[in-house]
Amino acid sequence: MSLILLTIKGISYSQTQSGAYALVLSEMQGTRTLPIIIGAFEAQSIAIALETEIRPPRPLTHDLFKTFSDTFAITVKEVIIHKLVDGVFFSSLICEREGKEEVIDTRTSDAIAIAVRFNAPIYTYENILDKAGIYLKVEEEMAIENKQESQEIPIDFELESSDDKSDFSALSLSELNNQLNNAVDNENYELAAKIRDEISKRS
């Protein structure tokens, strides 16, 4: 059965499950997407790995995995989402050390957070896309592509509480940068992503 290469299309707050996020993967050669519900920590970890401007003051768990692997010359070659049972995706890390390949069972959210750090490709099988994939309408596809072109990273965190949604338009760039640094120091990466987007709009 042939493997299908996927890319990360975006992350958004889940409207169906409180405290969860929807990670959307898209096939590289086609219009199908694969939505996967993941936890807030994994969503933040994936988003941070994709960011170029936000770096946590301390390593996250997946950063530690990357450092550990590099130290012991372990390479993550690819991630394969190989099974779907009762709405739960099962994935494997394909790792290599000294020419020997190992397959490690992992949660899909962890696998993707690790894959991003290793620049490893993410694959799934045709039957999984047939079962769980969603076809994007042409207008939706174009809207997503335009959104990606206007932002550095196609990550759109929606904060849980409206109290967190500050009006950044009244702040200067200097004040925004200060708030960005404070948000990162406090490990509030959702807020940091919002501030980063506001800074990007002005540059």
Side-chain angles (χ1 to χ4, degrees):
M1 195 178 299
S2 62
L3 290 170
I4 297 174
L5 181 62
L6 302 173
T7 185
I8 298 175
K9 186 65 98 175
I11 304 174
S12 63
Y13 188 71
S14 174
Q15 301 299 317
T16 58
Q17 294 189 26
S18 177
Y21 287 81
L23 168 67
V24 181
L25 304 176
S26 173
E27 60 179 333
M28 293 290 287
Q29 305 295 326
T31 61
R32 286 175 296 182
T33 63
L34 197 64
I36 301 174
I37 300 300
I38 62 175
F41 172 78
E42 291 79 10
Q44 289 183 355
S45 183
I46 293 169
I48 288 167
L50 292 170
E51 290 282 358
T52 57
E53 299 175 14
I54 299 176
R55 286 292 175 266
R58 296 174 295 170
L60 302 177
T61 303
H62 300 109
D63 297 322
L64 177 60
F65 182 93
K66 176 68 162 62
T67 302
F68 178 90
S69 300
D70 290 343
T71 301
F72 292 97
I74 300 169
T75 301
V76 174
K77 295 176 60 179
E78 60 190 22
V79 165
I80 300 177
I81 303 171
H82 61 83
K83 187 166 64 173
L84 174 62
V85 179
D86 296 329
V88 178
F89 293 92
F90 292 76
S91 296
S92 297
L93 292 176
I94 312 301
C95 304
E96 186 179 69
R97 181 174 185 268
E98 297 179 351
K100 183 179 180 181
E101 191 172 279
E102 298 286 350
V103 179
I104 301 174
D105 182 44
T106 177
R107 295 188 309 167
T108 299
S109 54
D110 289 327
I112 293 172
I114 291 168
V116 172
R117 286 163 170 79
F118 280 89
N119 292 317
I122 303 166
Y123 296 100
T124 193
Y125 292 107
E126 181 72 36
N127 65 323
I128 292 178
L129 266 179
D130 284 341
K131 186 186 296 186
I134 298 173
Y135 283 92
L136 283 179
K137 295 178 181 178
V138 175
E139 312 88 71
E140 292 173 339
E141 181 75 14
M142 291 177 62
I144 291 176
E145 288 177 357
N146 291 336
K147 183 178 179 181
Q148 288 181 345
E149 290 173 1
S150 65
Q151 298 181 5
E152 281 188 44
I153 305 295
I155 301 299
D156 181 21
F157 271 127
E158 296 179 14
L159 301 182
E160 298 179 37
S161 169
S162 59
D163 295 338
D164 294 329
K165 296 182 179 179
S166 302
D167 182 10
F168 299 125
S169 60
L171 300 178
S172 67
L173 274 176
S174 176
E175 290 171 326
L176 285 172
N177 281 305
N178 286 335
Q179 286 205 14
L180 175 62
N181 292 332
N182 289 335
V184 172
D185 288 340
N186 293 323
E187 300 185 6
N188 187 346
Y189 302 119
E190 294 180 9
L191 179 59
K194 288 289 185 181
I195 298 172
R196 186 284 318 249
D197 289 342
E198 179 64 26
I199 293 173
S200 297
K201 289 177 185 176
R202 301 188 189 186
S203 57

